[in-house]
Amino acid sequence: MKTLVPCKLCGLPVKTSVDPSTDFFCCNGCKMVHTMLMESDQYKDTQDFKDTDLYKQCVAAGIIPDTSEQTEASAEQTPEAVADSETPIDAGNFLTLNFQIQNMWCPACAWVVENTLTRSKGVINSSCNFSSDRGSVLYDPVKTSPEKIYTAIKKLGYPCADLDQTPQKNKKEFIRICVTLFLTMNVMMLSWSIYSGFFIELSRRSVQLLAWPVFLMATVVVFYGGYPIHKRALGNITSGWPGMETLISTGSFSTYFYSVFHFYKGSIHLYFDAASMLILLILTGKMLEQSAKNKISEGLAGFFSLVPQKVRICAAQFPKGRYVSIKQLSEGDSFLAEQGEILAADGIVTKGAAVIDASSITGEVKPVNINFEDAVKSGTRIISGKIQVKAVGVGEDSILGRMLAIMENSLSEKTAQTQRLENILKFFVPSVMGLSVLTFFFWLLYGLTSYDAFNRGISVMVISCPCALGIAIPLALVAGVSAAREKGILVRDFEAFECIDGLDTIVFDKTGTLTTGRLKVLGMDTANDFSEQKAWQIIHAMEQGSDHYIAHTIKTYGIDQDLVPLELENLIYHPNGVSCGFQDEAYCFGSMNFVNKINRSVPSFISPSRQGAQIISTVFLSANDIIVAAVHLGDSMKPGVTSLVADLDKMGLACFLISGDAKKTTLAAGTFVEIPEANTHGGFLPHEKAEFIKALKQTGKKVAMVGDGVNDAPAMAQSDIAMAVHSGLNPAEGVAAITLMQETPVQLIDFITLAKRVNRKVRQNLIFALVYNIISIPVAASGLLNPIIAATAMLLSSLSVTCNTLLLVKRESKNKQ
């Protein structure tokens, strides 16, 4: 009987019938690695197994499970508990694969791919987005591979490829549509001759001479031309997710075999032309629709192609640089970039000067001059000049890498509204097919001929359009993401567009959002009996271990002044200040509330004359709860923020300002941008900002929080929609739904305006698609349409939704120009 015992090398519980007291290895990987190490000189003790290079390389390759992140609790878990757990024990080893898919004709295609992959061995979960033609899979590399995943997708009839590859255009499909067009034209021409038999008498010989070529050509069209449709229809049925292809395939086969039956009987009731035209209309319509989708995705395709594949790395043996694969670039490496090249990593300029175009990242088309020690971002293009850059952020850790990851996640997500509509569409096709059958039997029982009843049943099946419903929402959202990116706005969540509807309140953080956040020391006031030199030395020493932006400013100032830090005792960092001990006295440095808990009044030695026209943050130093010094820090407002608040007010949006700085400083900033005093609040800690947002929402307001994505994370998470002003470090900006990459909140107006247009297009598309289906299905059931007209109407409904979305793309392109 097999029992669970821990492996003596990797530590994972495994089933075995071996006596636990003997040596046992959990998998062939461990056995192989152990055998190889035993034959080498580097392996002396089993305790060193995980420290060997071979073990680490095998873990990285997935040969051996990685147990480095297991907690003590999981290590102590009993074998029975592990066996019963539903959580995979090697969850940390799962990988994500993002890919692009071609020839998805409707949302049902995405459902088929998504559910097929989810049921595949080794796939943990999958997501497939019809509008962006992209998919994402979380998989176990031990059980499956990208090649197996791609094979599973291709078996369904959908070509796929990595994101950095361009799927080859299928010449076979081009030939298919050309053959279908040629044969269908001849089928239609000869069919008119056959139909003349309804008005003049045709001999049996004449009918056969006309019917045989029509039958043969229609057979080629239905089976060869319609092969992609029938293949996907079969995949839809076997996966349990019938879609548009199921309706078209059923309709074309029904019409074709109905005509074959009459052809065999020698009747002139041959409607091969309807089956052929149905296939041709679908192929042509989907080609036009795909062309429109490509137009919508052009901006996104250009963005995803920004990553260079080669970089010129400078080394001791190659001082002038040598081109290597981008994958060989590491943090700390120096590389060269010259005119026309795209920067491969974030970094600092160490040599040279250049003019760069950062519009791909920020949306700002104005060229920027860069010189020695300037910071540069990956994805920007060198217009002129030549620079040497020291890489500080490469690959997924670079600005471009993070933006690409965010865009991928955004394009693979579905909004709640989209998900609800997709749930409806799951039952739409089976319902339509059932209604088609009922229509046939109803009219048959009503007294119509089998042909007329059949014709009306087929029309109901063909005219219904799940495509228009399925693409009504996601296609407009993808167009919105593309348009936003061109403006330098990074959309992290599709829900951001929906959240703009009903928005009535904007809450701004101050520092880093409305102000530049780049402070400088303006000076210090000290008590008469306290030395300014001593105060600076104490403060400089207290801020050495802090990452706060004020600490950085003070440390920079201290270095410029050649201050020597003192040795302090009991140094403790608090949310709003620092405390320590020095020469038997207790010192605190921070906000007024932190340093002076007893007497809240401002000492008389602090001069207000320094404030002038600048916004001032004053930080205090106290000795034994008595304020002995005050440091004045200057910060400037970002350009355009005053007009921003005025424009938001004209749009009917109430603006609030909250900050962790003192109330007086916050009030000064609020007054500068003309935010009412009642809406300005200072001295808030991070959790207090979140509570303020919560209180606003409880009054019935729909609130957007605009911050820098660092200290504002709790408040942003509490808001209805979080918007981050890019801080220059991380485009993800915490929990923000959107990031304004130009580092200014002025872009907020652009996004609100764009979001309203996107939402308008979503409503227009959805209303049209719903009204179309509500009207067209009863009309088809009544017998007012034949299958060809029904197929044409169905395609026009899909194309109208797509073209309506294209109007948004066209308008945004004009606005950008």
Side-chain angles (χ1 to χ4, degrees), residues 717-728:
Q718 186 66 53
S719 66
D720 292 296
I721 176 172
M723 306 180 183
V725 177
H726 181 43
S727 61

Side-chain angles (χ1 to χ4, degrees), residues 63-277:
I63 299 173
I64 299 176
D66 185 4
T67 61
S68 60
E69 296 183 357
Q70 281 190 304
T71 62
E72 293 183 1
S74 63
E76 296 175 357
Q77 191 176 18
T78 63
E80 292 78 12
V82 173
D84 295 337
S85 173
E86 296 182 358
T87 303
I89 54 179
D90 56 350
N93 289 329
F94 297 156
L95 300 178
T96 299
L97 175 67
N98 293 309
F99 50 89
Q100 51 186 325
I101 310 173
Q102 284 189 322
N103 297 346
M104 290 197 298
W105 286 355
C106 71
C109 298
W111 298 335
V112 170
V113 173
E114 186 174 307
N115 284 272
T116 300
L117 292 178
T118 301
R119 297 173 185 176
S120 301
K121 181 181 179 181
V123 175
I124 310 306
N125 60 58
S126 65
S127 176
C128 185
N129 190 291
F130 163 71
S131 298
S132 59
D133 287 337
R134 296 180 184 275
S136 178
V137 167
L138 181 66
Y139 69 98
D140 185 343
V142 177
K143 298 179 181 179
T144 188
S145 65
E147 290 74 19
K148 293 180 180 179
I149 293 172
Y150 289 160
T151 299
I153 299 173
K154 290 175 181 177
K155 285 182 179 179
L156 296 173
Y158 304 100
C160 56
D162 294 335
L163 293 177
D164 56 355
Q165 296 178 357
T166 302
Q168 296 181 353
K169 292 184 178 180
N170 198 332
K171 294 182 179 179
K172 292 182 180 180
E173 296 306 316
F174 177 74
I175 295 174
R176 188 188 310 278
I177 195 170
C178 289
V179 171
T180 301
L181 174 62
F182 174 77
L183 294 179
T184 300
M185 291 173 61
N186 285 277
V187 167
M188 294 293 292
M189 179 181 66
L190 292 176
S191 293
W192 279 109
S193 300
I194 295 175
Y195 293 156
S196 66
F198 289 107
F199 308 102
I200 60 174
E201 185 176 349
L202 291 176
S203 66
R204 187 178 181 87
R205 177 67 176 169
S206 299
V207 172
Q208 287 182 341
L209 288 175
L210 293 172
W212 267 106
V214 171
F215 164 70
L216 294 175
M217 289 188 291
T219 300
V220 174
V221 171
V222 171
F223 287 93
Y224 169 71
Y227 173 75
I229 302 172
H230 306 319
K231 181 178 180 180
R232 289 169 190 158
L234 181 61
N236 292 353
I237 295 171
T238 56
S239 66
W241 300 87
M244 184 207 71
E245 293 89 348
T246 307
L247 296 177
I248 300 304
S249 181
T250 304
S252 60
F253 273 138
S254 299
T255 307
Y256 172 79
F257 286 113
Y258 182 84
S259 300
V260 169
F261 173 75
H262 283 280
F263 170 66
Y264 177 77
K265 293 179 61 177
S267 170
I268 62 173
H269 288 278
L270 306 178
Y271 300 99
F272 292 115
D273 55 334
S276 300
M277 182 60 71

Side-chain angles (χ1 to χ4, degrees), residues 386-401:
K386 183 177 181 180
I387 54 174
Q388 181 171 315
V389 180
K390 180 180 179 181
V392 296
V394 300
E396 295 179 354
D397 295 327
S398 66
I399 292 290
L400 181 61

Side-chain angles (χ1 to χ4, degrees), residues 499-507 652-656 678-679 681 692-705 718-721:
C499 289
I500 292 299
D501 279 344
L503 186 69
D504 54 19
T505 304
I506 308 287
V507 178
L653 298 172
C655 294
F656 288 77
N679 294 357
H681 305 274
F692 179 78
I693 298 292
K694 183 178 181 180
L696 284 176
K697 292 173 62 178
Q698 288 175 346
T699 63
K701 296 183 181 298
K702 190 170 184 180
V703 184
M705 174 66 193
Q718 186 66 53
S719 66
D720 292 296
I721 176 172

Side-chain angles (χ1 to χ4, degrees), residues 306-374:
L306 283 175
V307 182
Q309 300 303 309
K310 295 180 177 62
V311 62
R312 191 166 21 162
I313 296 181
C314 300
Q317 60 271 41
F318 302 107
K320 295 185 178 180
R322 180 184 183 186
Y323 282 105
V324 298
S325 170
I326 186 67
K327 297 180 181 179
Q328 297 185 35
L329 182 65
S330 302
E331 184 177 346
D333 289 344
S334 292
F335 64 93
L336 289 174
E338 57 186 19
Q339 181 175 340
E341 294 184 347
I342 295 176
L343 292 180
D346 302 339
I348 304 296
V349 178
T350 57
K351 288 183 181 179
V355 178
I356 65 170
D357 173 16
S359 60
S360 59
I361 303 298
T362 65
E364 178 59 56
V365 295
K366 182 179 179 180
V368 179
N369 294 309
I370 56 170
N371 297 285
F372 177 66
E373 291 190 344
D374 284 344

